Short mmCIF file of all heavy atoms in Angstrom, two decimals:
data_model
loop_
_atom_site.label_atom_id
_atom_site.label_comp_id
_atom_site.label_asym_id
_atom_site.label_seq_id
_atom_site.Cartn_x
_atom_site.Cartn_y
_atom_site.Cartn_z
N LEU A 169 -18.34 -134.77 -42.27
CA LEU A 169 -18.26 -133.37 -42.69
C LEU A 169 -19.67 -132.83 -42.84
O LEU A 169 -20.53 -133.49 -43.44
CB LEU A 169 -17.52 -133.23 -44.03
CG LEU A 169 -16.01 -133.48 -44.06
CD1 LEU A 169 -15.50 -133.33 -45.49
CD2 LEU A 169 -15.28 -132.55 -43.13
N GLU A 170 -19.92 -131.64 -42.33
CA GLU A 170 -21.22 -131.02 -42.47
C GLU A 170 -21.20 -130.03 -43.62
O GLU A 170 -20.23 -129.29 -43.81
CB GLU A 170 -21.61 -130.31 -41.16
CG GLU A 170 -21.72 -131.27 -39.98
CD GLU A 170 -22.28 -130.61 -38.75
OE1 GLU A 170 -23.39 -130.03 -38.83
OE2 GLU A 170 -21.62 -130.66 -37.69
N GLN A 171 -22.29 -130.02 -44.39
CA GLN A 171 -22.40 -129.13 -45.54
C GLN A 171 -22.44 -127.68 -45.09
O GLN A 171 -23.28 -127.29 -44.28
CB GLN A 171 -23.66 -129.45 -46.34
CG GLN A 171 -23.85 -128.61 -47.58
CD GLN A 171 -22.79 -128.85 -48.63
OE1 GLN A 171 -22.50 -129.99 -48.98
NE2 GLN A 171 -22.20 -127.78 -49.14
N LYS A 172 -21.54 -126.87 -45.63
CA LYS A 172 -21.50 -125.46 -45.27
C LYS A 172 -22.76 -124.75 -45.78
O LYS A 172 -23.26 -125.05 -46.85
CB LYS A 172 -20.25 -124.80 -45.86
CG LYS A 172 -18.95 -125.31 -45.26
CD LYS A 172 -17.76 -124.61 -45.88
CE LYS A 172 -16.45 -125.10 -45.28
NZ LYS A 172 -15.27 -124.43 -45.89
N GLY A 173 -23.24 -123.80 -44.98
CA GLY A 173 -24.40 -123.02 -45.37
C GLY A 173 -25.73 -123.65 -45.02
O GLY A 173 -26.78 -123.08 -45.28
N LEU A 174 -25.70 -124.85 -44.41
CA LEU A 174 -26.92 -125.53 -44.01
C LEU A 174 -26.93 -125.75 -42.50
O LEU A 174 -25.88 -125.78 -41.86
CB LEU A 174 -27.04 -126.88 -44.72
CG LEU A 174 -27.18 -126.87 -46.24
CD1 LEU A 174 -27.31 -128.30 -46.75
CD2 LEU A 174 -28.36 -126.03 -46.69
N GLY A 175 -28.13 -125.91 -41.95
CA GLY A 175 -28.26 -126.25 -40.53
C GLY A 175 -27.89 -125.14 -39.58
O GLY A 175 -27.66 -125.39 -38.40
N GLU A 176 -27.85 -123.89 -40.07
CA GLU A 176 -27.43 -122.79 -39.21
C GLU A 176 -28.52 -122.39 -38.20
O GLU A 176 -28.24 -121.77 -37.19
CB GLU A 176 -27.03 -121.59 -40.07
CG GLU A 176 -25.80 -121.90 -40.95
CD GLU A 176 -25.44 -120.75 -41.86
OE1 GLU A 176 -26.22 -119.77 -41.92
OE2 GLU A 176 -24.39 -120.82 -42.52
N ASN A 177 -29.77 -122.73 -38.52
CA ASN A 177 -30.88 -122.51 -37.58
C ASN A 177 -31.44 -123.87 -37.18
O ASN A 177 -32.37 -124.39 -37.81
CB ASN A 177 -31.97 -121.66 -38.23
CG ASN A 177 -31.46 -120.26 -38.58
OD1 ASN A 177 -30.82 -119.60 -37.78
ND2 ASN A 177 -31.75 -119.84 -39.81
N PRO A 178 -30.88 -124.49 -36.14
CA PRO A 178 -31.22 -125.87 -35.79
C PRO A 178 -32.71 -126.12 -35.59
O PRO A 178 -33.21 -127.19 -35.94
CB PRO A 178 -30.45 -126.08 -34.48
CG PRO A 178 -29.31 -125.12 -34.55
CD PRO A 178 -29.85 -123.92 -35.26
N GLU A 179 -33.44 -125.14 -35.08
CA GLU A 179 -34.86 -125.36 -34.81
C GLU A 179 -35.69 -125.47 -36.10
O GLU A 179 -36.84 -125.94 -36.08
CB GLU A 179 -35.42 -124.24 -33.93
CG GLU A 179 -35.46 -122.86 -34.55
CD GLU A 179 -34.11 -122.16 -34.53
OE1 GLU A 179 -33.15 -122.74 -33.98
OE2 GLU A 179 -34.02 -121.03 -35.05
N GLU A 180 -35.14 -125.06 -37.24
CA GLU A 180 -35.87 -125.11 -38.50
C GLU A 180 -35.59 -126.37 -39.32
O GLU A 180 -36.29 -126.66 -40.29
CB GLU A 180 -35.55 -123.87 -39.35
CG GLU A 180 -36.01 -122.56 -38.73
CD GLU A 180 -35.72 -121.38 -39.63
OE1 GLU A 180 -35.23 -121.61 -40.76
OE2 GLU A 180 -35.98 -120.24 -39.21
N VAL A 181 -34.57 -127.11 -38.95
CA VAL A 181 -34.19 -128.30 -39.73
C VAL A 181 -35.17 -129.44 -39.45
O VAL A 181 -35.36 -129.85 -38.32
CB VAL A 181 -32.75 -128.73 -39.38
CG1 VAL A 181 -32.42 -130.06 -40.07
CG2 VAL A 181 -31.76 -127.66 -39.83
N GLU A 182 -35.77 -129.95 -40.54
CA GLU A 182 -36.73 -131.04 -40.42
C GLU A 182 -36.23 -132.32 -41.10
O GLU A 182 -36.68 -133.40 -40.75
CB GLU A 182 -38.07 -130.63 -41.05
CG GLU A 182 -38.73 -129.46 -40.32
CD GLU A 182 -40.04 -129.06 -40.96
OE1 GLU A 182 -40.38 -129.60 -42.04
OE2 GLU A 182 -40.74 -128.21 -40.38
N ARG A 183 -35.35 -132.19 -42.06
CA ARG A 183 -34.78 -133.37 -42.72
C ARG A 183 -33.27 -133.33 -42.61
O ARG A 183 -32.63 -132.32 -42.94
CB ARG A 183 -35.19 -133.43 -44.19
CG ARG A 183 -34.39 -134.48 -44.97
CD ARG A 183 -34.78 -134.56 -46.44
NE ARG A 183 -36.02 -135.30 -46.61
CZ ARG A 183 -36.53 -135.61 -47.80
NH1 ARG A 183 -35.93 -135.21 -48.91
NH2 ARG A 183 -37.65 -136.31 -47.89
N LEU A 184 -32.69 -134.44 -42.15
CA LEU A 184 -31.25 -134.59 -42.08
C LEU A 184 -30.84 -135.66 -43.08
O LEU A 184 -31.24 -136.82 -42.96
CB LEU A 184 -30.82 -135.01 -40.66
CG LEU A 184 -29.33 -135.32 -40.47
CD1 LEU A 184 -28.47 -134.08 -40.73
CD2 LEU A 184 -29.07 -135.87 -39.07
N ILE A 185 -30.09 -135.25 -44.09
CA ILE A 185 -29.59 -136.18 -45.10
C ILE A 185 -28.19 -136.63 -44.71
O ILE A 185 -27.32 -135.81 -44.42
CB ILE A 185 -29.57 -135.53 -46.50
CG1 ILE A 185 -30.98 -135.44 -47.08
CG2 ILE A 185 -28.68 -136.33 -47.45
CD1 ILE A 185 -31.04 -134.83 -48.46
N LEU A 186 -27.98 -137.94 -44.71
CA LEU A 186 -26.66 -138.53 -44.52
C LEU A 186 -26.28 -139.23 -45.81
O LEU A 186 -27.11 -139.90 -46.43
CB LEU A 186 -26.67 -139.52 -43.36
CG LEU A 186 -27.14 -139.00 -42.00
CD1 LEU A 186 -27.16 -140.13 -40.99
CD2 LEU A 186 -26.25 -137.86 -41.52
N CYS A 187 -25.05 -139.06 -46.24
CA CYS A 187 -24.61 -139.66 -47.49
C CYS A 187 -23.10 -139.82 -47.45
O CYS A 187 -22.45 -139.39 -46.50
CB CYS A 187 -25.03 -138.80 -48.69
SG CYS A 187 -24.51 -137.07 -48.56
N SER A 188 -22.54 -140.44 -48.48
CA SER A 188 -21.10 -140.69 -48.51
C SER A 188 -20.60 -140.69 -49.95
O SER A 188 -21.27 -141.21 -50.85
CB SER A 188 -20.79 -142.04 -47.85
OG SER A 188 -19.41 -142.24 -47.70
N GLY A 189 -19.45 -140.07 -50.18
CA GLY A 189 -18.83 -140.12 -51.49
C GLY A 189 -19.38 -139.15 -52.51
O GLY A 189 -19.89 -138.07 -52.18
N LYS A 190 -19.33 -139.54 -53.78
CA LYS A 190 -19.63 -138.64 -54.89
C LYS A 190 -21.02 -138.05 -54.84
O LYS A 190 -21.24 -136.90 -55.23
CB LYS A 190 -19.43 -139.38 -56.23
CG LYS A 190 -19.56 -138.48 -57.45
CD LYS A 190 -19.47 -139.26 -58.75
CE LYS A 190 -20.73 -140.02 -59.03
NZ LYS A 190 -21.89 -139.13 -59.36
N VAL A 191 -22.00 -138.82 -54.36
CA VAL A 191 -23.36 -138.31 -54.34
C VAL A 191 -23.48 -137.07 -53.45
O VAL A 191 -24.32 -136.21 -53.68
CB VAL A 191 -24.35 -139.41 -53.89
CG1 VAL A 191 -24.21 -139.71 -52.40
CG2 VAL A 191 -25.77 -139.03 -54.23
N ALA A 192 -22.61 -136.95 -52.45
CA ALA A 192 -22.61 -135.77 -51.60
C ALA A 192 -22.21 -134.53 -52.38
O ALA A 192 -22.76 -133.43 -52.18
CB ALA A 192 -21.68 -135.97 -50.41
N VAL A 193 -21.25 -134.68 -53.28
CA VAL A 193 -20.81 -133.57 -54.12
C VAL A 193 -21.90 -133.22 -55.13
O VAL A 193 -22.15 -132.04 -55.42
CB VAL A 193 -19.49 -133.92 -54.83
CG1 VAL A 193 -19.01 -132.76 -55.69
CG2 VAL A 193 -18.42 -134.28 -53.80
N ASP A 194 -22.59 -134.22 -55.65
CA ASP A 194 -23.71 -133.99 -56.56
C ASP A 194 -24.83 -133.23 -55.85
O ASP A 194 -25.44 -132.32 -56.43
CB ASP A 194 -24.25 -135.31 -57.10
CG ASP A 194 -23.26 -136.00 -58.03
OD1 ASP A 194 -22.34 -135.32 -58.52
OD2 ASP A 194 -23.42 -137.21 -58.27
N LEU A 195 -25.10 -133.59 -54.61
CA LEU A 195 -26.14 -132.90 -53.84
C LEU A 195 -25.76 -131.43 -53.61
O LEU A 195 -26.60 -130.54 -53.68
CB LEU A 195 -26.36 -133.60 -52.50
CG LEU A 195 -27.20 -134.87 -52.53
CD1 LEU A 195 -27.11 -135.59 -51.18
CD2 LEU A 195 -28.65 -134.57 -52.86
N GLU A 196 -24.49 -131.19 -53.34
CA GLU A 196 -24.04 -129.82 -53.13
C GLU A 196 -24.27 -128.98 -54.37
O GLU A 196 -24.73 -127.83 -54.28
CB GLU A 196 -22.56 -129.81 -52.76
CG GLU A 196 -21.99 -128.42 -52.56
CD GLU A 196 -20.50 -128.43 -52.29
OE1 GLU A 196 -20.07 -129.08 -51.32
OE2 GLU A 196 -19.76 -127.80 -53.08
N ALA A 197 -23.97 -129.53 -55.54
CA ALA A 197 -24.17 -128.80 -56.79
C ALA A 197 -25.66 -128.58 -57.06
O ALA A 197 -26.08 -127.49 -57.45
CB ALA A 197 -23.53 -129.57 -57.94
N GLU A 198 -26.47 -129.60 -56.83
CA GLU A 198 -27.91 -129.50 -57.10
C GLU A 198 -28.60 -128.56 -56.13
O GLU A 198 -29.61 -127.93 -56.46
CB GLU A 198 -28.53 -130.90 -57.02
CG GLU A 198 -29.95 -131.00 -57.54
CD GLU A 198 -30.04 -130.89 -59.06
OE1 GLU A 198 -28.98 -130.93 -59.73
OE2 GLU A 198 -31.17 -130.75 -59.57
N LEU A 199 -28.05 -128.44 -54.95
CA LEU A 199 -28.65 -127.60 -53.92
C LEU A 199 -28.77 -126.15 -54.34
O LEU A 199 -29.63 -125.41 -53.86
CB LEU A 199 -27.83 -127.72 -52.63
CG LEU A 199 -28.42 -127.14 -51.35
CD1 LEU A 199 -29.73 -127.83 -50.99
CD2 LEU A 199 -27.42 -127.28 -50.20
N GLU A 200 -27.92 -125.72 -55.26
CA GLU A 200 -27.94 -124.34 -55.73
C GLU A 200 -29.26 -124.00 -56.43
O GLU A 200 -29.63 -122.83 -56.53
CB GLU A 200 -26.76 -124.09 -56.66
CG GLU A 200 -25.40 -124.21 -55.97
CD GLU A 200 -24.24 -124.03 -56.92
OE1 GLU A 200 -24.49 -123.89 -58.14
OE2 GLU A 200 -23.08 -124.04 -56.45
N SER A 201 -29.97 -125.02 -56.91
CA SER A 201 -31.26 -124.81 -57.57
C SER A 201 -32.43 -124.96 -56.60
O SER A 201 -33.59 -124.85 -57.02
CB SER A 201 -31.42 -125.80 -58.73
OG SER A 201 -30.38 -125.64 -59.68
N TYR A 202 -32.14 -125.21 -55.34
CA TYR A 202 -33.20 -125.41 -54.35
C TYR A 202 -32.93 -124.53 -53.13
O TYR A 202 -32.67 -125.01 -52.03
CB TYR A 202 -33.24 -126.88 -53.92
CG TYR A 202 -33.70 -127.83 -54.99
CD1 TYR A 202 -32.81 -128.31 -55.95
CD2 TYR A 202 -35.02 -128.23 -55.07
CE1 TYR A 202 -33.23 -129.18 -56.94
CE2 TYR A 202 -35.47 -129.10 -56.06
CZ TYR A 202 -34.56 -129.57 -56.99
OH TYR A 202 -34.98 -130.43 -57.97
N GLU A 203 -33.00 -123.23 -53.34
CA GLU A 203 -32.72 -122.28 -52.26
C GLU A 203 -33.64 -122.48 -51.06
O GLU A 203 -33.23 -122.34 -49.91
CB GLU A 203 -32.84 -120.85 -52.78
CG GLU A 203 -31.67 -120.40 -53.65
CD GLU A 203 -30.36 -120.34 -52.89
OE1 GLU A 203 -30.38 -119.95 -51.70
OE2 GLU A 203 -29.32 -120.69 -53.47
N ASP A 204 -34.91 -122.83 -51.31
CA ASP A 204 -35.85 -122.98 -50.20
C ASP A 204 -35.49 -124.16 -49.31
O ASP A 204 -35.82 -124.19 -48.12
CB ASP A 204 -37.27 -123.15 -50.73
CG ASP A 204 -37.43 -124.42 -51.56
OD1 ASP A 204 -36.54 -124.68 -52.40
OD2 ASP A 204 -38.41 -125.15 -51.34
N ALA A 205 -34.81 -125.16 -49.89
CA ALA A 205 -34.44 -126.35 -49.11
C ALA A 205 -33.45 -126.01 -48.00
O ALA A 205 -33.38 -126.70 -46.98
CB ALA A 205 -33.84 -127.41 -50.03
N LYS A 206 -32.70 -124.94 -48.18
CA LYS A 206 -31.70 -124.58 -47.17
C LYS A 206 -32.33 -124.18 -45.84
O LYS A 206 -31.66 -124.15 -44.82
CB LYS A 206 -30.83 -123.44 -47.71
CG LYS A 206 -30.02 -123.83 -48.95
CD LYS A 206 -29.19 -122.67 -49.46
CE LYS A 206 -28.40 -123.08 -50.71
NZ LYS A 206 -27.57 -121.97 -51.23
N GLU A 207 -33.63 -123.88 -45.86
CA GLU A 207 -34.31 -123.49 -44.63
C GLU A 207 -34.62 -124.69 -43.74
O GLU A 207 -34.68 -124.56 -42.52
CB GLU A 207 -35.60 -122.75 -44.96
CG GLU A 207 -35.39 -121.47 -45.77
CD GLU A 207 -36.71 -120.83 -46.14
OE1 GLU A 207 -37.76 -121.34 -45.69
OE2 GLU A 207 -36.71 -119.83 -46.89
N TRP A 208 -34.88 -125.86 -44.35
CA TRP A 208 -35.37 -127.00 -43.58
C TRP A 208 -34.48 -128.24 -43.70
O TRP A 208 -34.82 -129.31 -43.19
CB TRP A 208 -36.78 -127.38 -44.03
CG TRP A 208 -36.94 -127.53 -45.52
CD1 TRP A 208 -37.30 -126.57 -46.41
CD2 TRP A 208 -36.72 -128.72 -46.28
NE1 TRP A 208 -37.34 -127.08 -47.68
CE2 TRP A 208 -37.00 -128.40 -47.64
CE3 TRP A 208 -36.36 -130.03 -45.96
CZ2 TRP A 208 -36.89 -129.34 -48.66
CZ3 TRP A 208 -36.24 -130.96 -46.98
CH2 TRP A 208 -36.51 -130.61 -48.31
N LEU A 209 -33.34 -128.10 -44.36
CA LEU A 209 -32.50 -129.25 -44.69
C LEU A 209 -31.08 -129.10 -44.15
O LEU A 209 -30.54 -128.00 -44.10
CB LEU A 209 -32.44 -129.41 -46.21
CG LEU A 209 -31.55 -130.53 -46.76
CD1 LEU A 209 -32.17 -131.88 -46.47
CD2 LEU A 209 -31.36 -130.35 -48.28
N HIS A 210 -30.51 -130.22 -43.74
CA HIS A 210 -29.09 -130.25 -43.44
C HIS A 210 -28.51 -131.53 -44.05
O HIS A 210 -29.18 -132.56 -44.09
CB HIS A 210 -28.83 -130.23 -41.93
CG HIS A 210 -27.38 -130.01 -41.59
ND1 HIS A 210 -26.55 -129.20 -42.34
CD2 HIS A 210 -26.61 -130.52 -40.59
CE1 HIS A 210 -25.34 -129.20 -41.80
NE2 HIS A 210 -25.35 -130.00 -40.75
N ILE A 211 -27.28 -131.44 -44.55
CA ILE A 211 -26.61 -132.58 -45.19
C ILE A 211 -25.30 -132.86 -44.47
O ILE A 211 -24.50 -131.95 -44.24
CB ILE A 211 -26.35 -132.29 -46.69
CG1 ILE A 211 -27.66 -132.05 -47.42
CG2 ILE A 211 -25.59 -133.46 -47.32
CD1 ILE A 211 -27.49 -131.66 -48.88
N VAL A 212 -25.08 -134.11 -44.15
CA VAL A 212 -23.86 -134.54 -43.48
C VAL A 212 -23.21 -135.65 -44.30
O VAL A 212 -23.87 -136.61 -44.71
CB VAL A 212 -24.14 -135.05 -42.05
CG1 VAL A 212 -22.87 -135.61 -41.42
CG2 VAL A 212 -24.71 -133.93 -41.19
N ARG A 213 -21.93 -135.51 -44.58
CA ARG A 213 -21.18 -136.51 -45.32
C ARG A 213 -20.51 -137.47 -44.35
O ARG A 213 -19.71 -137.06 -43.50
CB ARG A 213 -20.12 -135.84 -46.19
CG ARG A 213 -20.67 -134.79 -47.14
CD ARG A 213 -19.55 -134.14 -47.95
NE ARG A 213 -20.07 -133.10 -48.82
CZ ARG A 213 -19.34 -132.44 -49.71
NH1 ARG A 213 -18.05 -132.72 -49.84
NH2 ARG A 213 -19.89 -131.51 -50.47
N VAL A 214 -20.80 -138.74 -44.48
CA VAL A 214 -20.15 -139.76 -43.66
C VAL A 214 -18.89 -140.18 -44.42
O VAL A 214 -18.93 -141.02 -45.32
CB VAL A 214 -21.07 -140.96 -43.41
CG1 VAL A 214 -20.40 -141.97 -42.50
CG2 VAL A 214 -22.40 -140.49 -42.80
N GLU A 215 -17.78 -139.56 -44.07
CA GLU A 215 -16.52 -139.80 -44.78
C GLU A 215 -15.90 -141.13 -44.39
O GLU A 215 -15.23 -141.77 -45.18
CB GLU A 215 -15.54 -138.66 -44.48
CG GLU A 215 -16.04 -137.28 -44.87
CD GLU A 215 -15.83 -136.97 -46.33
OE1 GLU A 215 -14.67 -136.74 -46.73
OE2 GLU A 215 -16.82 -136.94 -47.08
N GLN A 216 -16.09 -141.53 -43.15
CA GLN A 216 -15.59 -142.83 -42.68
C GLN A 216 -16.78 -143.71 -42.36
O GLN A 216 -17.58 -143.43 -41.48
CB GLN A 216 -14.73 -142.64 -41.43
CG GLN A 216 -14.23 -143.96 -40.83
CD GLN A 216 -13.36 -143.74 -39.61
OE1 GLN A 216 -12.26 -143.20 -39.72
NE2 GLN A 216 -13.84 -144.13 -38.44
N LEU A 217 -16.90 -144.79 -43.11
CA LEU A 217 -18.01 -145.71 -42.92
C LEU A 217 -17.72 -146.76 -41.85
O LEU A 217 -18.60 -147.14 -41.08
CB LEU A 217 -18.34 -146.39 -44.25
CG LEU A 217 -18.94 -145.43 -45.31
CD1 LEU A 217 -18.78 -146.01 -46.70
CD2 LEU A 217 -20.40 -145.16 -44.99
N TYR A 218 -16.49 -147.23 -41.81
CA TYR A 218 -16.07 -148.17 -40.76
C TYR A 218 -14.66 -147.83 -40.31
O TYR A 218 -13.80 -147.62 -41.15
CB TYR A 218 -16.11 -149.62 -41.25
CG TYR A 218 -15.80 -150.60 -40.14
CD1 TYR A 218 -16.78 -151.00 -39.25
CD2 TYR A 218 -14.50 -151.07 -39.95
CE1 TYR A 218 -16.48 -151.87 -38.21
CE2 TYR A 218 -14.19 -151.93 -38.92
CZ TYR A 218 -15.19 -152.34 -38.05
OH TYR A 218 -14.90 -153.18 -37.01
N PRO A 219 -14.41 -147.78 -39.01
CA PRO A 219 -15.36 -147.87 -37.91
C PRO A 219 -16.44 -146.78 -37.99
O PRO A 219 -16.14 -145.63 -38.34
CB PRO A 219 -14.49 -147.72 -36.67
CG PRO A 219 -13.12 -148.16 -37.10
CD PRO A 219 -13.01 -147.70 -38.52
N PHE A 220 -17.66 -147.15 -37.64
CA PHE A 220 -18.80 -146.26 -37.75
C PHE A 220 -18.69 -145.10 -36.76
O PHE A 220 -18.50 -145.32 -35.56
CB PHE A 220 -20.07 -147.07 -37.46
CG PHE A 220 -21.35 -146.26 -37.52
CD1 PHE A 220 -21.76 -145.68 -38.69
CD2 PHE A 220 -22.12 -146.11 -36.38
CE1 PHE A 220 -22.94 -144.94 -38.75
CE2 PHE A 220 -23.30 -145.38 -36.42
CZ PHE A 220 -23.71 -144.79 -37.60
N PRO A 221 -18.79 -143.84 -37.24
CA PRO A 221 -18.65 -142.66 -36.36
C PRO A 221 -19.91 -142.40 -35.55
O PRO A 221 -20.60 -141.39 -35.73
CB PRO A 221 -18.34 -141.54 -37.35
CG PRO A 221 -19.03 -141.95 -38.60
CD PRO A 221 -18.93 -143.46 -38.67
N LYS A 222 -20.23 -143.29 -34.67
CA LYS A 222 -21.48 -143.25 -33.90
C LYS A 222 -21.65 -141.97 -33.11
O LYS A 222 -22.69 -141.31 -33.17
CB LYS A 222 -21.53 -144.46 -32.96
CG LYS A 222 -22.66 -144.46 -31.96
CD LYS A 222 -22.58 -145.67 -31.06
CE LYS A 222 -23.65 -145.64 -29.98
NZ LYS A 222 -23.55 -146.84 -29.09
N HIS A 223 -20.64 -141.60 -32.35
CA HIS A 223 -20.77 -140.46 -31.45
C HIS A 223 -20.90 -139.14 -32.21
O HIS A 223 -21.69 -138.27 -31.83
CB HIS A 223 -19.59 -140.41 -30.48
CG HIS A 223 -19.48 -141.65 -29.63
ND1 HIS A 223 -20.41 -141.95 -28.67
CD2 HIS A 223 -18.56 -142.65 -29.62
CE1 HIS A 223 -20.08 -143.09 -28.08
NE2 HIS A 223 -18.97 -143.53 -28.64
N GLU A 224 -20.13 -138.98 -33.29
CA GLU A 224 -20.21 -137.75 -34.08
C GLU A 224 -21.59 -137.57 -34.70
O GLU A 224 -22.16 -136.48 -34.68
CB GLU A 224 -19.15 -137.76 -35.17
CG GLU A 224 -17.71 -137.67 -34.67
CD GLU A 224 -17.10 -139.02 -34.36
OE1 GLU A 224 -17.87 -140.00 -34.20
OE2 GLU A 224 -15.87 -139.12 -34.28
N LEU A 225 -22.15 -138.65 -35.23
CA LEU A 225 -23.47 -138.56 -35.87
C LEU A 225 -24.58 -138.37 -34.84
O LEU A 225 -25.52 -137.61 -35.08
CB LEU A 225 -23.73 -139.83 -36.69
CG LEU A 225 -22.90 -139.96 -37.97
CD1 LEU A 225 -23.15 -141.31 -38.63
CD2 LEU A 225 -23.21 -138.84 -38.94
N LYS A 226 -24.45 -139.01 -33.71
CA LYS A 226 -25.49 -138.86 -32.68
C LYS A 226 -25.53 -137.43 -32.16
O LYS A 226 -26.61 -136.87 -31.93
CB LYS A 226 -25.22 -139.84 -31.53
CG LYS A 226 -26.35 -139.89 -30.51
CD LYS A 226 -26.13 -141.00 -29.50
CE LYS A 226 -27.31 -141.09 -28.54
NZ LYS A 226 -27.12 -142.20 -27.56
N GLU A 227 -24.37 -136.81 -32.02
CA GLU A 227 -24.33 -135.42 -31.56
C GLU A 227 -25.01 -134.50 -32.55
O GLU A 227 -25.74 -133.58 -32.17
CB GLU A 227 -22.87 -135.00 -31.37
CG GLU A 227 -22.69 -133.62 -30.74
CD GLU A 227 -22.78 -132.48 -31.76
OE1 GLU A 227 -22.36 -132.70 -32.92
OE2 GLU A 227 -23.27 -131.40 -31.40
N ILE A 228 -24.81 -134.75 -33.84
CA ILE A 228 -25.45 -133.93 -34.88
C ILE A 228 -26.96 -134.15 -34.86
O ILE A 228 -27.74 -133.18 -34.92
CB ILE A 228 -24.87 -134.26 -36.27
CG1 ILE A 228 -23.40 -133.82 -36.34
CG2 ILE A 228 -25.67 -133.58 -37.38
CD1 ILE A 228 -22.68 -134.26 -37.59
N MET A 229 -27.40 -135.38 -34.77
CA MET A 229 -28.84 -135.67 -34.74
C MET A 229 -29.53 -134.98 -33.57
O MET A 229 -30.61 -134.39 -33.72
CB MET A 229 -29.07 -137.18 -34.65
CG MET A 229 -28.66 -137.96 -35.87
SD MET A 229 -28.90 -139.74 -35.60
CE MET A 229 -28.27 -140.40 -37.14
#
Side-chain angles (χ1 to χ4, degrees):
L169 290 178
E170 299 188 55
Q171 181 66 49
K172 294 181 179 179
L174 296 181
E176 296 177 353
N177 297 313
E179 66 281 357
E180 295 183 4
V181 173
E182 296 179 354
R183 168 180 282 186
L184 175 63
I185 285 181
L186 304 177
C187 53
S188 188
K190 186 185 76 69
V191 72
V193 181
D194 291 342
L195 282 169
E196 179 184 302
E198 192 71 11
L199 191 62
E200 295 177 356
S201 301
Y202 292 84
E203 285 296 322
D204 64 315
K206 297 179 181 180
E207 300 176 5
W208 50 269
L209 177 71
H210 190 35
I211 299 176
V212 175
R213 304 178 182 186
V214 183
E215 302 277 288
Q216 177 179 293
L217 292 160
Y218 185 83
F220 179 64
K222 172 182 176 181
H223 300 292
E224 292 88 342
L225 289 175
K226 188 172 184 179
E227 186 277 327
I228 293 173
M229 292 177 183

